Amino acid sequence: DGNGAIDDAELRAGVTEVLGDDARSRATLPRPVRAGEVEGLMREADLDGSGAIEVGEFAAMEAATRRGAARAEARFLGLTFAGTAIETAEAEALARVEARIRGLSKDERKGCCAKFLDELEPFTLAAYLRNARSDEEEAVRRLLASAEWRGGFGGSR
């Protein structure tokens, strides 16, 4: 409505437009996303509890997201793996792979060795990402395959 804030009706309309309202449209996303998840995140961004996200709140949310990403990638910067230093672009990719693994739902982790996924070290992530030739989705797929394989041997589920 152009008032500089996102109210409930606009949020619902936006979520429905982006996610669609049927299971098939949601299946194209990297993982299923429910409207309630998005609504919850948006409500967190409503810092003053007014029921709308004003421009200042959006800026604060964006800044917090950037700080979180910077902290995540800093965890990898400066490390040397297999004789090669981890540079900024690779550190960013590693942070995204780690975030994807940490963000797996209970269903996505089913049958996987939880200990393996929960205790991934930076060098393990680097090995998988480099082996996947920097393809982040392939690295995640391989990490999950390893966790499933380990889970099949009775690893912590």
Side-chain angles (χ1 to χ4, degrees), residues 17-80:
E17 183 177 326
V18 171
L19 299 181
D21 56 3
D22 63 8
R24 188 174 15 186
S25 66
R26 293 172 195 222
T28 61
L29 296 167
R31 73 172 184 82
V33 177
R34 293 177 300 282
E37 287 179 277
V38 176
E39 289 179 19
L41 292 171
M42 297 299 282
R43 292 202 195 307
E44 282 181 38
D46 180 15
L47 300 174
D48 64 6
S50 68
I53 300 169
E54 290 85 16
V55 174
E57 291 170 324
F58 183 81
M61 178 180 64
E62 182 181 31
T65 301
R66 289 180 192 274
R67 282 192 305 275
R71 277 193 303 271
E73 78 183 53
R75 171 172 145 78
F76 301 103
L77 275 174
L79 297 176
T80 299

Side-chain angles (χ1 to χ4, degrees), residues 55-106:
V55 174
E57 291 170 324
F58 183 81
M61 178 180 64
E62 182 181 31
T65 301
R66 289 180 192 274
R67 282 192 305 275
R71 277 193 303 271
E73 78 183 53
R75 171 172 145 78
F76 301 103
L77 275 174
L79 297 176
T80 299
F81 176 72
T84 305
I86 294 175
E87 302 287 333
T88 302
E90 187 177 22
E92 291 169 350
L94 286 165
R96 287 189 297 271
V97 168
E98 183 177 50
R100 173 72 173 94
I101 294 295
R102 301 273 184 253
L104 292 172
S105 70
K106 188 175 182 178

Side-chain angles (χ1 to χ4, degrees), residues 1 12 68 73 101 129 152:
D1 61 15
R12 274 193 241 306
E73 78 183 53
I101 294 295
L129 184 63

